[in-house]
Amino acid sequence: MISTDVILDTANILMEKAAIDIPDDYLTGLKKAADEEEGDLSSFVLQAMLENYEAAKEDRRAMCGDTGTPRWYVKFGNEAQVTGGPIALEETLRRATADSTKRIPLRPNRVHPLWRTDHNNNIGIGAPEIEYGFEPEGSWIDITTVHKGGLFGTDYRMLFPGDGIEGIKRFYLDSLVAFGRRGLACQPAIIGIGLGGSKDTSMVLGKRAACLRIVGDRNPDPEIAKLEDEFKEIGNSIGMGAMGFVGKSMVIDCHIEVGCCHTGGMPMSVHAFCLSSRRASARLHADGSVEFRTDPQWFTPYQRRETVEWPLNNQNSQKSA
Amino acid sequence: MAPKQSKLTKVRLSTSPSPEDLRALKIGDIVYLDGTVYTGREGVYKKILEDGADMPVPLPALSGANFHCSPAAIREEDGRFKVSAVTATASFRFSKWLERWFKASGAKLIIGKGGMTGKDYKEVFVPNGAIYLTTVGYGTGALLGRGVKRVHSANWLEELGIAQAMWVLEVENFGPFIVDSDLDGNSLFERENAKIAAGLAKAYEGTRPATLKRYGETDDRNDEVI
């Protein structure tokens, strides 16, 4: 049984880590881009960002003043149990969001869309989002927080099978150029592409591809992995760098996630995470221990399964239950 | 990794700059500010320009620098402020208020994210003797947070909320910023867009336009979304 006390403490730590500490995988990718960048303005921007990460870490202050819209991804091992059940879990994550907003502090970005009412704690109707996933074995829960910015760099389009890879490339370039100008997308970023599913699924897949996979990770389908490499290369060949200045650093990595879609269509979404790539994860075990990490490990073979059944290892599940 | 040597010019600038100070700046220069800046975005513009509220602090006597920003900040229970990170928000959305804002505030520096259009610079900034400074990144929130020495006041904090309140911040070596527009209305972003546009046709080779058009869609790659 995982207690809400442990969840609250862990969630508060995750909020702080996400806001303040740049994940290692992204930092390594950005340093490589900074080494290779030749544009003088783009180079200046990347160096300033590297200094900014150090300042955030030293002062324990948020990397960026726009601390995004915090959200949660929760994954349950099949045998996991939480004190008070899912309702208590959700209340705990909402409490951690509110408490951390005041403590760190974060910017209270969440307002009512019409009345612009701000509760000053990043809590409101539908905020923060809490999304769920499950894994076949284990009595742990994984909690990930992502603080993605909310305004620019993301787009959706209904393509058709006849549009093919050429059409996918076109929409990818359109999105990068449209939001890359003036640096509205806060590039260079991890770009996530969602292909397939229905309209909403395509958006969810693309967002998760951007925010829940780390730099260097590749899709297990070798053909999709090749596309990821190719799309990273294409994005960095536009001639545009940080802030839309002349340069070649647009894409730190490109991740593609697919979902099966209507036979007549090929919905596509493009998402740009940002220069702060705010994410942090932890695994909470039934014995009360907690392991922190920066890789959400969201996309497992189970998340990408194609079959009806998924045989459980019953012996294991009985032991840990 | 050794930091690369930058050829860019770096300047310390007052938040109430003289016309000569501004005349000396070139687009692409790097600026660090000393003095006082205030945040003002849609909430403040509406309050003062549309609802007719009085200016809560004397402008431009106190500051000539309007920052399109909401800080990650909080007022503690003992009344003291804690400022974490400070980053700009995209400025193009505030275009419709700026002419009246220049008249009301006497601002000489608009600081924000992403600049405004060349048209805004020529028609609104130049006649008011003002320039635009863009934040860097975006965003160097922690570096800018370090440059905030004291919160002078947070006006309409309860009414407008933390994000939209008018924060008056005393700053020192506050930056970096990049000069996007000069006193003649030239735009760094538009100069860079033009350079990049020249190579776009090559980047688009081997792609095809979507079968299903969007109503009103254009394929003109010189277009901008702002």
mmCIF file of all heavy atoms in Angstrom, chain A residues 62 65 67 101-108 120, chain B residues 70-76 80-86 148 151 154 157 161-163 167 169:
data_model
loop_
_atom_site.group_PDB
_atom_site.id
_atom_site.type_symbol
_atom_site.label_atom_id
_atom_site.label_comp_id
_atom_site.label_asym_id
_atom_site.label_seq_id
_atom_site.Cartn_x
_atom_site.Cartn_y
_atom_site.Cartn_z
ATOM 1 N N ALA A 62 13.310 28.797 -10.374
ATOM 2 C CA ALA A 62 12.805 28.222 -11.618
ATOM 3 C C ALA A 62 13.673 28.651 -12.804
ATOM 4 O O ALA A 62 14.183 29.765 -12.831
ATOM 5 C CB ALA A 62 11.357 28.654 -11.832
ATOM 6 N N GLY A 65 10.584 31.961 -16.221
ATOM 7 C CA GLY A 65 9.525 32.660 -15.500
ATOM 8 C C GLY A 65 8.137 32.185 -15.885
ATOM 9 O O GLY A 65 7.207 32.226 -15.087
ATOM 10 N N THR A 67 6.387 29.239 -16.004
ATOM 11 C CA THR A 67 6.624 27.889 -15.499
ATOM 12 C C THR A 67 5.616 26.892 -16.061
ATOM 13 O O THR A 67 5.430 25.804 -15.520
ATOM 14 C CB THR A 67 6.621 27.886 -13.963
ATOM 15 O OG1 THR A 67 5.438 28.553 -13.518
ATOM 16 C CG2 THR A 67 7.830 28.624 -13.425
ATOM 17 N N THR A 101 3.382 25.591 -6.110
ATOM 18 C CA THR A 101 3.255 26.878 -6.796
ATOM 19 C C THR A 101 3.630 28.007 -5.845
ATOM 20 O O THR A 101 4.344 28.938 -6.216
ATOM 21 C CB THR A 101 1.820 27.064 -7.319
ATOM 22 O OG1 THR A 101 1.556 26.039 -8.278
ATOM 23 C CG2 THR A 101 1.627 28.428 -7.960
ATOM 24 N N LYS A 102 3.212 27.896 -4.596
ATOM 25 C CA LYS A 102 3.524 28.938 -3.610
ATOM 26 C C LYS A 102 4.951 28.812 -3.099
ATOM 27 O O LYS A 102 5.620 29.800 -2.863
ATOM 28 C CB LYS A 102 2.549 28.840 -2.437
ATOM 29 C CG LYS A 102 1.128 29.243 -2.817
ATOM 30 C CD LYS A 102 0.331 29.681 -1.609
ATOM 31 C CE LYS A 102 -0.912 30.447 -2.016
ATOM 32 N NZ LYS A 102 -1.882 29.635 -2.805
ATOM 33 N N ARG A 103 5.433 27.571 -2.911
ATOM 34 C CA ARG A 103 6.719 27.370 -2.250
ATOM 35 C C ARG A 103 7.918 27.701 -3.148
ATOM 36 O O ARG A 103 8.882 28.325 -2.705
ATOM 37 C CB ARG A 103 6.821 25.918 -1.765
ATOM 38 C CG ARG A 103 7.988 25.654 -0.813
ATOM 39 C CD ARG A 103 8.163 24.181 -0.520
ATOM 40 N NE ARG A 103 8.571 23.449 -1.709
ATOM 41 C CZ ARG A 103 7.774 22.675 -2.432
ATOM 42 N NH1 ARG A 103 6.520 22.515 -2.088
ATOM 43 N NH2 ARG A 103 8.222 22.051 -3.518
ATOM 44 N N ILE A 104 7.860 27.289 -4.432
ATOM 45 C CA ILE A 104 9.084 27.388 -5.272
ATOM 46 C C ILE A 104 9.471 28.846 -5.563
ATOM 47 O O ILE A 104 10.652 29.173 -5.392
ATOM 48 C CB ILE A 104 8.906 26.559 -6.555
ATOM 49 C CG1 ILE A 104 8.745 25.067 -6.165
ATOM 50 C CG2 ILE A 104 10.073 26.751 -7.508
ATOM 51 C CD1 ILE A 104 8.381 24.148 -7.327
ATOM 52 N N PRO A 105 8.710 29.834 -5.908
ATOM 53 C CA PRO A 105 7.334 29.729 -6.391
ATOM 54 C C PRO A 105 7.299 29.546 -7.905
ATOM 55 O O PRO A 105 8.256 29.849 -8.593
ATOM 56 C CB PRO A 105 6.767 31.106 -6.021
ATOM 57 C CG PRO A 105 7.936 32.035 -6.083
ATOM 58 C CD PRO A 105 9.150 31.217 -5.725
ATOM 59 N N LEU A 106 6.146 29.048 -8.387
ATOM 60 C CA LEU A 106 5.875 28.978 -9.818
ATOM 61 C C LEU A 106 4.910 30.101 -10.181
ATOM 62 O O LEU A 106 4.265 30.670 -9.302
ATOM 63 C CB LEU A 106 5.223 27.644 -10.179
ATOM 64 C CG LEU A 106 5.970 26.383 -9.794
ATOM 65 C CD1 LEU A 106 5.167 25.157 -10.222
ATOM 66 C CD2 LEU A 106 7.346 26.359 -10.418
ATOM 67 N N ARG A 107 4.801 30.368 -11.462
ATOM 68 C CA ARG A 107 3.829 31.369 -11.885
ATOM 69 C C ARG A 107 2.455 30.703 -11.911
ATOM 70 O O ARG A 107 2.304 29.630 -12.486
ATOM 71 C CB ARG A 107 4.188 31.863 -13.275
ATOM 72 C CG ARG A 107 3.518 33.144 -13.627
ATOM 73 C CD ARG A 107 4.248 33.769 -14.781
ATOM 74 N NE ARG A 107 3.528 33.541 -16.026
ATOM 75 C CZ ARG A 107 4.010 33.871 -17.206
ATOM 76 N NH1 ARG A 107 5.198 34.404 -17.329
ATOM 77 N NH2 ARG A 107 3.304 33.658 -18.286
ATOM 78 N N PRO A 108 1.459 31.313 -11.289
ATOM 79 C CA PRO A 108 0.113 30.728 -11.353
ATOM 80 C C PRO A 108 -0.509 31.019 -12.717
ATOM 81 O O PRO A 108 -1.206 31.998 -12.889
ATOM 82 C CB PRO A 108 -0.635 31.425 -10.218
ATOM 83 C CG PRO A 108 0.097 32.709 -10.002
ATOM 84 C CD PRO A 108 1.501 32.540 -10.484
ATOM 85 N N ASN A 120 -4.437 31.613 -8.263
ATOM 86 C CA ASN A 120 -3.048 31.808 -7.833
ATOM 87 C C ASN A 120 -2.362 30.538 -7.337
ATOM 88 O O ASN A 120 -1.430 30.593 -6.533
ATOM 89 C CB ASN A 120 -2.961 32.906 -6.752
ATOM 90 C CG ASN A 120 -3.070 34.299 -7.353
ATOM 91 O OD1 ASN A 120 -2.755 34.509 -8.526
ATOM 92 N ND2 ASN A 120 -3.527 35.256 -6.567
ATOM 93 N N SER B 70 5.117 38.234 -16.645
ATOM 94 C CA SER B 70 4.543 37.906 -15.350
ATOM 95 C C SER B 70 5.624 37.125 -14.627
ATOM 96 O O SER B 70 6.074 36.116 -15.137
ATOM 97 C CB SER B 70 3.327 37.014 -15.488
ATOM 98 O OG SER B 70 2.529 37.412 -16.575
ATOM 99 N N PRO B 71 6.054 37.593 -13.474
ATOM 100 C CA PRO B 71 7.113 36.861 -12.785
ATOM 101 C C PRO B 71 6.558 35.617 -12.093
ATOM 102 O O PRO B 71 5.366 35.549 -11.788
ATOM 103 C CB PRO B 71 7.608 37.875 -11.749
ATOM 104 C CG PRO B 71 6.438 38.763 -11.489
ATOM 105 C CD PRO B 71 5.641 38.804 -12.749
ATOM 106 N N ALA B 72 7.419 34.624 -11.874
ATOM 107 C CA ALA B 72 7.078 33.540 -10.961
ATOM 108 C C ALA B 72 7.416 34.078 -9.587
ATOM 109 O O ALA B 72 8.577 34.087 -9.178
ATOM 110 C CB ALA B 72 7.876 32.291 -11.294
ATOM 111 N N ALA B 73 6.410 34.616 -8.904
ATOM 112 C CA ALA B 73 6.673 35.325 -7.652
ATOM 113 C C ALA B 73 5.493 35.148 -6.701
ATOM 114 O O ALA B 73 4.415 34.719 -7.117
ATOM 115 C CB ALA B 73 6.883 36.816 -7.925
ATOM 116 N N ILE B 74 5.710 35.483 -5.457
ATOM 117 C CA ILE B 74 4.651 35.334 -4.469
ATOM 118 C C ILE B 74 4.839 36.378 -3.374
ATOM 119 O O ILE B 74 5.959 36.778 -3.093
ATOM 120 C CB ILE B 74 4.682 33.909 -3.863
ATOM 121 C CG1 ILE B 74 3.495 33.653 -2.940
ATOM 122 C CG2 ILE B 74 5.970 33.648 -3.102
ATOM 123 C CD1 ILE B 74 2.438 32.827 -3.571
ATOM 124 N N ARG B 75 3.728 36.833 -2.782
ATOM 125 C CA ARG B 75 3.830 37.665 -1.576
ATOM 126 C C ARG B 75 3.686 36.736 -0.375
ATOM 127 O O ARG B 75 2.664 36.069 -0.214
ATOM 128 C CB ARG B 75 2.751 38.736 -1.560
ATOM 129 C CG ARG B 75 2.896 39.644 -0.331
ATOM 130 C CD ARG B 75 2.161 40.958 -0.475
ATOM 131 N NE ARG B 75 0.749 40.769 -0.726
ATOM 132 C CZ ARG B 75 -0.068 41.746 -1.124
ATOM 133 N NH1 ARG B 75 0.398 42.954 -1.320
ATOM 134 N NH2 ARG B 75 -1.336 41.510 -1.333
ATOM 135 N N GLU B 76 4.720 36.692 0.456
ATOM 136 C CA GLU B 76 4.690 35.821 1.634
ATOM 137 C C GLU B 76 3.673 36.376 2.632
ATOM 138 O O GLU B 76 3.245 37.524 2.522
ATOM 139 C CB GLU B 76 6.081 35.784 2.297
ATOM 140 C CG GLU B 76 7.205 35.516 1.334
ATOM 141 C CD GLU B 76 7.604 34.062 1.234
ATOM 142 O OE1 GLU B 76 6.750 33.190 1.520
ATOM 143 O OE2 GLU B 76 8.754 33.798 0.860
ATOM 144 N N ARG B 80 6.376 40.210 2.570
ATOM 145 C CA ARG B 80 7.558 40.300 1.709
ATOM 146 C C ARG B 80 7.342 39.509 0.411
ATOM 147 O O ARG B 80 6.569 38.555 0.377
ATOM 148 C CB ARG B 80 8.793 39.759 2.442
ATOM 149 C CG ARG B 80 9.330 40.742 3.478
ATOM 150 C CD ARG B 80 10.624 40.234 4.071
ATOM 151 N NE ARG B 80 10.441 38.883 4.621
ATOM 152 C CZ ARG B 80 11.439 38.133 5.073
ATOM 153 N NH1 ARG B 80 12.661 38.583 5.028
ATOM 154 N NH2 ARG B 80 11.195 36.931 5.572
ATOM 155 N N PHE B 81 8.054 39.928 -0.613
ATOM 156 C CA PHE B 81 7.910 39.253 -1.902
ATOM 157 C C PHE B 81 9.054 38.285 -2.136
ATOM 158 O O PHE B 81 10.183 38.536 -1.722
ATOM 159 C CB PHE B 81 7.905 40.290 -3.034
ATOM 160 C CG PHE B 81 6.704 41.181 -3.005
ATOM 161 C CD1 PHE B 81 6.789 42.466 -2.489
ATOM 162 C CD2 PHE B 81 5.484 40.732 -3.485
ATOM 163 C CE1 PHE B 81 5.674 43.291 -2.452
ATOM 164 C CE2 PHE B 81 4.368 41.554 -3.456
ATOM 165 C CZ PHE B 81 4.465 42.832 -2.934
ATOM 166 N N LYS B 82 8.743 37.196 -2.813
ATOM 167 C CA LYS B 82 9.784 36.272 -3.221
ATOM 168 C C LYS B 82 9.678 36.139 -4.739
ATOM 169 O O LYS B 82 8.637 35.738 -5.253
ATOM 170 C CB LYS B 82 9.565 34.920 -2.536
ATOM 171 C CG LYS B 82 10.629 33.894 -2.870
ATOM 172 C CD LYS B 82 10.379 32.613 -2.074
ATOM 173 C CE LYS B 82 11.367 31.538 -2.480
ATOM 174 N NZ LYS B 82 11.015 30.231 -1.915
ATOM 175 N N VAL B 83 10.734 36.533 -5.427
ATOM 176 C CA VAL B 83 10.744 36.443 -6.888
ATOM 177 C C VAL B 83 11.642 35.286 -7.283
ATOM 178 O O VAL B 83 12.800 35.221 -6.888
ATOM 179 C CB VAL B 83 11.264 37.753 -7.534
ATOM 180 C CG1 VAL B 83 11.338 37.606 -9.047
ATOM 181 C CG2 VAL B 83 10.350 38.915 -7.159
ATOM 182 N N SER B 84 11.097 34.353 -8.042
ATOM 183 C CA SER B 84 11.875 33.196 -8.488
ATOM 184 C C SER B 84 12.443 33.509 -9.869
ATOM 185 O O SER B 84 13.490 34.117 -9.989
ATOM 186 C CB SER B 84 10.955 31.973 -8.476
ATOM 187 O OG SER B 84 11.443 30.901 -9.192
ATOM 188 N N ALA B 85 11.746 33.150 -10.909
ATOM 189 C CA ALA B 85 12.239 33.395 -12.262
ATOM 190 C C ALA B 85 11.365 34.441 -12.948
ATOM 191 O O ALA B 85 10.209 34.632 -12.595
ATOM 192 C CB ALA B 85 12.242 32.109 -13.066
ATOM 193 N N VAL B 86 11.954 35.100 -13.934
ATOM 194 C CA VAL B 86 11.274 36.196 -14.621
ATOM 195 C C VAL B 86 11.465 35.997 -16.125
ATOM 196 O O VAL B 86 12.594 35.955 -16.593
ATOM 197 C CB VAL B 86 11.896 37.556 -14.206
ATOM 198 C CG1 VAL B 86 11.225 38.681 -14.948
ATOM 199 C CG2 VAL B 86 11.787 37.761 -12.703
ATOM 200 N N VAL B 148 16.865 40.987 -10.401
ATOM 201 C CA VAL B 148 15.852 41.736 -9.645
ATOM 202 C C VAL B 148 16.365 41.921 -8.221
ATOM 203 O O VAL B 148 16.563 40.959 -7.489
ATOM 204 C CB VAL B 148 14.499 40.983 -9.625
ATOM 205 C CG1 VAL B 148 13.503 41.717 -8.730
ATOM 206 C CG2 VAL B 148 13.953 40.850 -11.038
ATOM 207 N N VAL B 151 11.515 44.202 -4.938
ATOM 208 C CA VAL B 151 10.190 44.492 -5.489
ATOM 209 C C VAL B 151 9.756 45.836 -4.921
ATOM 210 O O VAL B 151 9.575 45.977 -3.706
ATOM 211 C CB VAL B 151 9.170 43.390 -5.125
ATOM 212 C CG1 VAL B 151 7.785 43.767 -5.628
ATOM 213 C CG2 VAL B 151 9.607 42.054 -5.712
ATOM 214 N N ALA B 154 3.732 45.714 -5.959
ATOM 215 C CA ALA B 154 2.943 44.844 -6.832
ATOM 216 C C ALA B 154 1.527 45.397 -6.815
ATOM 217 O O ALA B 154 0.813 45.261 -5.825
ATOM 218 C CB ALA B 154 2.974 43.407 -6.336
ATOM 219 N N LEU B 157 -2.556 43.386 -7.195
ATOM 220 C CA LEU B 157 -2.208 41.972 -7.032
ATOM 221 C C LEU B 157 -3.449 41.123 -6.761
ATOM 222 O O LEU B 157 -3.623 40.051 -7.345
ATOM 223 C CB LEU B 157 -1.202 41.834 -5.881
ATOM 224 C CG LEU B 157 -0.517 40.492 -5.705
ATOM 225 C CD1 LEU B 157 0.244 40.096 -6.960
ATOM 226 C CD2 LEU B 157 0.455 40.555 -4.515
ATOM 227 N N GLY B 161 -4.571 39.308 -10.061
ATOM 228 C CA GLY B 161 -3.838 38.053 -9.888
ATOM 229 C C GLY B 161 -2.350 38.275 -10.112
ATOM 230 O O GLY B 161 -1.924 39.284 -10.683
ATOM 231 N N ILE B 162 -1.565 37.291 -9.668
ATOM 232 C CA ILE B 162 -0.108 37.414 -9.724
ATOM 233 C C ILE B 162 0.376 37.620 -11.160
ATOM 234 O O ILE B 162 1.267 38.425 -11.429
ATOM 235 C CB ILE B 162 0.537 36.158 -9.099
ATOM 236 C CG1 ILE B 162 0.347 36.169 -7.581
ATOM 237 C CG2 ILE B 162 2.032 36.062 -9.447
ATOM 238 C CD1 ILE B 162 0.699 34.874 -6.894
ATOM 239 N N ALA B 163 -0.229 36.879 -12.099
ATOM 240 C CA ALA B 163 0.282 36.893 -13.480
ATOM 241 C C ALA B 163 0.002 38.232 -14.180
ATOM 242 O O ALA B 163 0.770 38.647 -15.043
ATOM 243 C CB ALA B 163 -0.317 35.739 -14.276
ATOM 244 N N TRP B 167 3.827 44.628 -11.623
ATOM 245 C CA TRP B 167 4.975 44.473 -10.716
ATOM 246 C C TRP B 167 6.000 45.552 -11.055
ATOM 247 O O TRP B 167 6.386 45.702 -12.222
ATOM 248 C CB TRP B 167 5.617 43.104 -10.902
ATOM 249 C CG TRP B 167 4.771 41.961 -10.438
ATOM 250 C CD1 TRP B 167 3.741 41.370 -11.109
ATOM 251 C CD2 TRP B 167 4.886 41.258 -9.200
ATOM 252 N NE1 TRP B 167 3.200 40.343 -10.363
ATOM 253 C CE2 TRP B 167 3.890 40.254 -9.188
ATOM 254 C CE3 TRP B 167 5.735 41.372 -8.095
ATOM 255 C CZ2 TRP B 167 3.721 39.376 -8.118
ATOM 256 C CZ3 TRP B 167 5.572 40.495 -7.028
ATOM 257 C CH2 TRP B 167 4.573 39.513 -7.041
ATOM 258 N N LEU B 169 9.766 46.526 -10.426
ATOM 259 C CA LEU B 169 10.948 45.783 -9.989
ATOM 260 C C LEU B 169 12.203 46.655 -10.113
ATOM 261 O O LEU B 169 12.456 47.235 -11.177
ATOM 262 C CB LEU B 169 11.126 44.522 -10.858
ATOM 263 C CG LEU B 169 9.901 43.604 -10.993
ATOM 264 C CD1 LEU B 169 10.153 42.526 -12.045
ATOM 265 C CD2 LEU B 169 9.576 42.953 -9.641
#
